[in-house]
Amino acid sequence: MLNFIVFYLLDTCRMEITRICQWLSLLICVLLLLQTEGVPVGITFVENAVAKGAVCLDGSPPAYHFNKGSGAGINNWIVHFEGGGWCNNVTTCLSRRDTRLGSSKKMDTSLSFSGFFSNSKKFNPDFYDWNRIKVRYCDGSSFTGDVEAVDPKTNLHFRGARVFAVVVEDLLAKGMKNAQNAIISGCSAGGLASILNCDRFKSLLPATTKVKCLADAGFFINVKDVSGAQRIEEFYSQVVQTHGSAKNLPTSCTSRLRPGLCFFPQNVVSQISTPIFFVNAAYDSWQIKNILAPGAADPHGQWRECKLDIKNCSPNQLSVMQGFRTDFLRAFSVVGNGASKGHFIDGCYAHCQTGIQETWLRNDSPVVAKTVRN
């Protein structure tokens, strides 16, 4: 019946009989797109977190979007941490304080769930009936910061680690305490959060829960930029210093290295005991744009067009990008081939792939040996 209505409306619209018909056709197309590509999920504010000091940069409560599981998946959970870069000093943190990346007051009240988060068995056969949560990112430290003092001149709160703890606590009270399976995941800065907090997440759940970690585009590497400077190393050190993150980074790393270096997964992953899986592009587009060829390293804009579209890259620039791939794979080699660590590293020029239907599960999605999913 639905197909008949759709075809009828589309046909009549092509004939341009009425403007109302065009509107109805558009509405049906949008509904069909939502059915296949994503479902809107409302926001939940953790209001009691404020009293605990677990707040966003501006002091507002943390938030997440929760699509409840059903049937056989009712006791299985995916807790996904949103990405969005970092702020490394008061100036950069102030620039994001009054945006969605620093305040829950500025966040969209609804997010679309697709890919890894879809509730469609067709488009997400393994996890469609799980409890699926997207935790919003508003602290600028990959959920690692914890500074008690708040400067009244800036009203900046560096409390990412507290946000992490209070969100998990809230979800435990809403049923995750009964979880049979639980996955902590994240994209970009959230993917880094899932690495740095992997063992911590497991420690907060019941001992009977089978816990695994998934990092999507979270394996940021320590590499020189095109000018020869080690900017990302300095930047991460500033992030850790500003947010007071050192005490919340894995002690297996901070006992050996400077805290700023423990923001790099390559210095942390070998000591992670919880099973973890990595999804990353070897030609990670964000890292190429912001770590390999940031604007500060390219004052004359020679990389500008290349970063916008790799079809515009010169042979020399493509060679530099190939070198980045080599550096990435070398850094990633520390992951090894143990039973508790797995990975899917593709050759795409991309960043974050699990939450997008095109790269998660579709006819033209990346595959291994012509196998869409194992």
Side-chain angles (χ1 to χ4, degrees):
M1 185 65 179
L2 177 60
N3 288 339
F4 172 78
I5 295 173
V6 172
F7 291 140
Y8 171 76
L9 287 173
L10 292 176
D11 185 58
T12 52
C13 284
R14 280 194 294 268
M15 295 172 63
E16 297 183 347
I17 294 177
T18 62
R19 292 178 62 187
I20 184 99
C21 183
Q22 291 178 336
W23 182 86
L24 287 172
S25 176
L26 177 62
L27 176 62
I28 287 177
C29 287
V30 170
L31 290 174
L32 288 175
L33 181 63
L34 287 173
Q35 183 181 24
T36 59
E37 296 292 314
V39 60
V41 178
I43 198 168
T44 297
F45 298 99
V46 190
E47 298 289 358
N48 64 358
V50 177
K52 302 174 183 178
V55 293
C56 299
L57 284 172
D58 72 333
S60 58
Y64 58 80
H65 300 254
F66 184 2
N67 198 211
K68 293 184 178 180
S70 61
I74 195 68
N75 288 322
N76 296 327
W77 295 71
I78 295 171
V79 183
H80 178 87
F81 289 82
E82 184 182 37
W86 310 269
C87 56
N88 64 322
N89 54 42
V90 170
T91 300
T92 57
C93 289
L94 279 174
S95 71
R96 60 194 282 154
R97 183 193 62 187
D98 299 321
T99 73
R100 67 173 180 83
L101 292 174
S103 172
S104 60
K105 299 175 184 177
K106 303 295 183 178
M107 294 174 181
D108 291 336
T109 56
S110 179
L111 281 186
S112 178
F113 277 31
S114 62
F116 186 41
F117 313 101
S118 173
N119 65 350
S120 167
K121 186 175 182 178
K122 177 181 178 182
F123 293 101
N124 188 26
D126 297 304
F127 305 105
Y128 74 96
D129 57 354
W130 286 38
N131 296 284
R132 286 151 286 113
I133 297 95
K134 286 188 180 182
V135 182
R136 302 303 297 269
Y137 184 38
C138 64
D139 68 275
S141 71
S142 285
F143 299 89
T144 63
D146 192 355
V147 175
E148 180 66 32
V150 177
D151 186 343
K153 295 179 182 179
T154 63
N155 194 40
L156 283 172
H157 299 70
F158 302 113
R159 306 283 179 75
R162 296 193 200 183
V163 169
F164 180 90
V166 80
V167 166
V168 173
E169 179 184 330
D170 198 58
L171 293 174
L172 286 169
K174 291 182 177 178
M176 196 165 66
K177 65 179 181 295
N178 301 315
Q180 296 174 349
N181 297 284
I183 295 173
I184 175 179
S185 72
C187 155
S188 192
L192 178 59
S194 72
I195 297 170
L196 298 177
N197 289 293
C198 180
D199 286 339
R200 184 182 180 203
F201 181 71
K202 180 176 174 59
S203 72
L204 295 173
L205 269 70
T208 55
T209 304
K210 183 183 291 185
V211 178
K212 295 186 179 181
C213 310
L214 170 63
D216 182 0
F219 204 98
F220 297 92
I221 66 171
N222 189 5
V223 66
K224 292 181 180 179
D225 63 30
V226 291
S227 73
Q230 205 88 31
R231 295 179 199 274
I232 188 61
E233 181 177 314
E234 179 183 6
F235 180 83
Y236 272 179
S237 293
Q238 293 169 348
V239 171
V240 170
Q241 177 65 34
T242 297
H243 291 266
S245 299
K247 58 181 172 290
N248 295 310
L249 298 175
T251 56
S252 59
C253 180
T254 55
S255 62
R256 299 179 292 111
L257 302 171
R258 289 185 289 107
L261 293 175
C262 297
F263 226 60
F264 290 101
Q266 65 202 75
N267 296 325
V268 173
V269 295
S270 63
Q271 302 300 315
I272 293 175
S273 60
T274 307
I276 185 168
F277 193 89
F278 300 89
V279 176
N280 226 106
Y283 300 97
D284 188 299
S285 57
W286 191 93
Q287 294 195 57
I288 286 174
K289 294 174 183 177
N290 296 281
I291 295 180
L292 178 66
D298 183 34
H300 302 296
Q302 296 176 340
W303 279 80
R304 187 177 299 119
E305 294 302 316
C306 173
K307 291 193 296 184
L308 289 174
D309 187 344
I310 57 174
K311 294 178 182 177
N312 298 327
C313 297
S314 69
N316 181 63
Q317 288 169 329
L318 291 174
S319 177
V320 173
M321 290 168 65
Q322 184 68 24
F324 175 86
R325 173 185 178 276
T326 300
D327 289 337
F328 179 89
L329 295 177
R330 183 183 299 113
F332 192 81
S333 66
V334 300
V335 172
N337 297 309
S340 66
K341 294 179 175 64
H343 60 271
F344 181 89
I345 308 298
D346 59 42
C348 301
Y349 184 66
H351 186 69
C352 292
Q353 301 177 75
T354 58
I356 305 171
Q357 198 62 55
E358 290 87 341
T359 47
W360 177 246
L361 180 59
R362 220 170 64 169
N363 291 337
D364 56 351
S365 300
V367 298
V368 175
K370 299 182 179 179
T371 301
V372 175
R373 52 182 286 266
N374 294 323

